[in-house]
């Protein structure tokens, strides 16, 4: 799959049912995804397979993700937003 096709697929997967998640994921794909390691890209793609209520709870700090890899990706995305 070409890089352009992969990014288009990722952007589509970033379109969620909650605006709060869209505003986190869309800029992250545009601005930071290419700088992730191959392993981090896989983790980000796995994060996008999670359900919206779960993601919302993790990103809003209502719950902590029990998967250490996914939790580290959540923290990475949140840290980019705070900068």
């Amino acid at each position: 799959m070409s890089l352009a096709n992969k990014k288009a697929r990722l952007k589509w997967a970033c379109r969620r049912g909650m605006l709060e998640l869209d505003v986190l994921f869309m800029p992250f794909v545009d601005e930071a995804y290419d700088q992730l390691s191959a392993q981090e890209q896989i983790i980000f793609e796995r994060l996008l397979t999670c359900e919206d209520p779960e993601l919302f709870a993790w990103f809003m700090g209502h719950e902590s993700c029990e998967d250490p890899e996914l939790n580290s990706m959540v923290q990475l995305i949140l840290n980019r937003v705070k900068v």
Side-chain angles (χ1 to χ4, degrees):
M1 177 182 311
S2 76
L3 181 59
N5 286 342
K6 185 173 188 172
K7 290 282 287 251
R9 184 180 60 81
L10 281 173
K11 284 184 175 187
W12 182 257
C14 287
R15 297 179 69 219
R16 311 303 292 205
M18 296 181 176
L19 179 61
E20 296 88 347
L21 297 175
D22 289 352
V23 298
L24 289 169
F25 290 147
M26 296 298 278
F28 185 80
V29 169
D30 288 334
E31 300 164 9
Y33 180 81
D34 293 339
Q35 286 77 44
L36 296 176
S37 69
Q39 181 63 27
E40 289 172 324
Q41 289 178 351
I42 291 168
I43 295 167
F44 179 72
E45 292 172 30
R46 193 161 59 92
L47 182 69
L48 293 178
T49 66
C50 297
E51 298 293 325
D52 284 359
E54 230 175 9
L55 292 168
F56 182 81
W58 297 339
F59 280 100
M60 297 303 128
H62 302 300
E63 294 177 16
S64 182
C65 177
E66 294 181 16
D67 181 304
E69 289 181 333
L70 293 180
N71 190 50
S72 69
M73 184 56 60
V74 168
Q75 297 310 312
L76 180 86
I77 294 168
L78 287 173
N79 288 336
R80 283 195 52 84
V81 172
K82 291 179 184 174
V83 172

